[in-house]
Amino acid sequence: MPDIWPLVRPNVKTIVPYSPGKSSQEVMEELGLTEVTKLASNENPLGPSPKAVEAMAGALSEVSVYPDPVWTELRNALGEFYQVDPAGIVIGRGSDEVIHMMGLSFLNPGEEVIYSLPPFALYPMTATLMDCKHVTLPSKGMDHDLDAMAAAITDKTKLIILANPCNPTGTILKQDAVDRFLEAVPDHCIVAFDEAYAEFVEEPEYADSLRYAREGRLTVTLRTFSKAYGLAGLRVGYGIATPEVAKAIGLTCEPFNVSTLAQIAAVAALSDREHVERSVKVNSDGKRYLYSQFERLGLKYTPTEANFILVDTGMDSRECFDQLMRRGVTVRTGDIFGPKFATSVRVSIGTQPQNETFIKALEAVLKQ
């Protein structure tokens, strides 16, 4: 059998594969458990909108036909929802694919991509695939260091990615700070705002990135149906930009990239405001409950604007993870985000029974 690895591009060999963690089924089989409370992937604990499920069920007979390649109904629905030109919207298999398409469309070998540490896996992966230089900036406390990012811009900088809210901290960038930052960004740079958790934000000073696209700036707002809308398994995300920027991104889109059922479900989910509002309410109540319990247990945590909380357990995050898993609860270890978070875990906010199950298991782990 010939050795395949000499044929692989050198930069591809350096990619660290994304680690999704173990599924609930794997944990149950491995540990002999009958139930697992999964609080590791920031999924919607209420599931999808009933309207989305009904819409998909009614469209099953259509799956023999290729999906709409330009996402007409979904793009129009999003345009009306956000009051933007539908021509400025690109749909992807999750917002991940839109980031990938941006790399294919805009990045040349040797150019620079700026992002904060720790990053979502697609940021470094995209830069690596396009043979670009990674310009990584450590966080300032738990926040992006926008001053350092602005100072790092050179004539080779092409793409800047800002996660807002930031994962794993749940912190946000406020309007004034982003306005000042964009004043320092030259016209040869594109700024992408990764806003996967935007629907959960309660802070009124949260930066309105859509405003920049409406003003004709070189920005892209990335959002998803995976979190607040509960459609993670369907993989539907989108980018909102000016029509010209969206057109450029769309040139690298694979034909028929988003399935018929995914498009139909997303349109229905977008119309079900009651389900989204209920999801946001459950998240808001849940985070306040978890805050109170962390304070009772004497644990430091980072106040969040997302649907997860970073909490410092005071013990090795891997050990904490293993002990929680043996008690039927899965979370994310902090060490995967860097040494700064070695004693922290990131827990998704669940329903009240799920949150109570987590706290009971955590308390048992801390007492042993």
Side-chain angles (χ1 to χ4, degrees):
M1 183 101 177
D3 184 4
I4 188 63
W5 289 104
L7 306 181
V8 178
R9 292 167 55 204
N11 57 327
V12 171
K13 294 179 186 179
T14 68
I15 291 175
V16 178
Y18 176 72
S19 175
K22 295 182 179 180
S23 69
S24 296
Q25 186 62 38
E26 288 177 302
V27 174
M28 287 190 287
E29 292 175 358
E30 179 181 327
L31 298 177
L33 301 172
T34 58
E35 184 178 359
V36 169
T37 299
K38 185 185 177 188
L39 299 175
S41 300
N42 307 336
E43 296 152 335
N44 189 327
L46 301 184
S49 158
K51 290 183 178 180
V53 174
E54 183 181 358
M56 282 190 290
L60 290 174
S61 62
E62 300 178 28
V63 297
S64 62
V65 179
Y66 284 110
D68 179 356
V70 293
W71 334 283
T72 305
E73 187 177 1
L74 178 54
R75 193 154 63 160
N76 287 339
L78 285 166
E80 182 178 353
F81 184 81
Y82 287 113
Q83 291 297 291
V84 298
D85 186 345
I89 299 174
V90 179
I91 312 295
R93 293 187 299 269
S95 53
D96 314 34
E97 190 189 22
V98 183
I99 296 172
H100 179 63
M101 286 190 282
M102 290 178 65
L104 293 174
S105 294
F106 300 123
L107 297 177
N108 296 300
E111 292 180 331
E112 297 172 350
V113 179
I114 297 178
Y115 55 86
S116 291
L117 299 175
F120 177 54
L122 257 291
Y123 309 167
M125 185 181 294
T126 297
T128 296
L129 285 173
M130 302 312 298
D131 276 326
C132 289
K133 179 182 178 181
H134 302 242
V135 180
T136 57
L137 283 302
S139 57
K140 187 177 182 180
M142 293 295 181
D143 301 317
H144 294 288
D145 189 342
L146 292 182
D147 291 337
M149 295 181 87
I153 296 172
T154 72
D155 58 358
K156 291 186 178 181
T157 304
K158 178 63 74 66
L159 178 63
I160 303 168
I161 309 176
L162 298 171
N164 193 32
C166 185
N167 183 4
T169 63
T171 57
I172 62 165
L173 295 170
K174 295 183 179 180
Q175 191 72 61
D176 287 349
V178 176
D179 287 344
R180 288 194 302 272
F181 175 72
L182 287 184
E183 289 176 3
V185 176
D187 290 341
H188 61 77
C189 298
I190 299 164
V191 180
F193 294 91
D194 187 353
E195 298 182 352
Y197 304 96
E199 289 83 3
F200 298 107
V201 174
E202 297 178 326
E203 169 57 59
E205 295 182 42
Y206 179 56
D208 176 16
S209 64
L210 292 175
R211 189 183 83 189
Y212 306 127
R214 295 189 185 104
E215 293 172 351
R217 301 201 194 191
L218 296 182
T219 63
V220 181
T221 296
L222 300 160
R223 293 195 178 181
T224 183
F225 284 93
S226 295
K227 307 301 181 184
Y229 291 92
L231 300 181
L234 291 179
R235 310 305 299 125
V236 194
Y238 53 97
I240 300 176
T242 67
E244 283 301 302
V245 170
K247 181 180 180 180
I249 296 171
L251 291 174
T252 59
C253 180
E254 296 178 9
F256 312 111
N257 66 325
V258 179
S259 74
T260 296
L261 294 184
Q263 293 187 46
I264 287 172
V267 171
L270 190 66
S271 72
D272 193 351
R273 300 313 305 161
E274 182 180 348
H275 182 74
V276 174
E277 289 169 3
R278 189 157 65 96
S279 299
V280 171
K281 177 69 162 54
V282 166
N283 189 76
S284 179
D285 292 345
K287 76 177 180 181
R288 284 167 175 77
Y289 166 77
L290 291 173
Y291 289 170
S292 69
Q293 295 303 303
F294 294 150
E295 290 163 6
R296 178 178 65 83
L297 295 172
L299 302 178
K300 295 181 179 179
Y301 62 89
T302 304
T304 184
E305 294 289 344
N307 68 341
F308 55 82
I309 303 177
L310 186 71
V311 57
D312 189 342
T313 64
M315 63 185 293
D316 180 81
S317 67
R318 287 277 168 183
E319 177 64 20
C320 184
F321 168 84
D322 288 339
Q323 292 300 324
L324 286 171
M325 186 169 63
R326 295 180 187 284
R327 290 167 172 79
V329 177
T330 57
V331 297
R332 272 296 214 183
T333 61
D335 65 320
I336 64 173
F337 302 111
K340 182 176 181 177
F341 306 105
T343 58
S344 296
V345 298
R346 190 198 69 191
V347 56
S348 304
I349 300 168
T351 62
Q352 185 61 19
Q354 289 174 325
N355 295 334
E356 290 175 359
T357 296
F358 162 66
I359 289 298
K360 182 178 179 181
L362 178 62
E363 191 165 12
V365 170
L366 295 175
K367 286 182 177 179
Q368 69 177 11

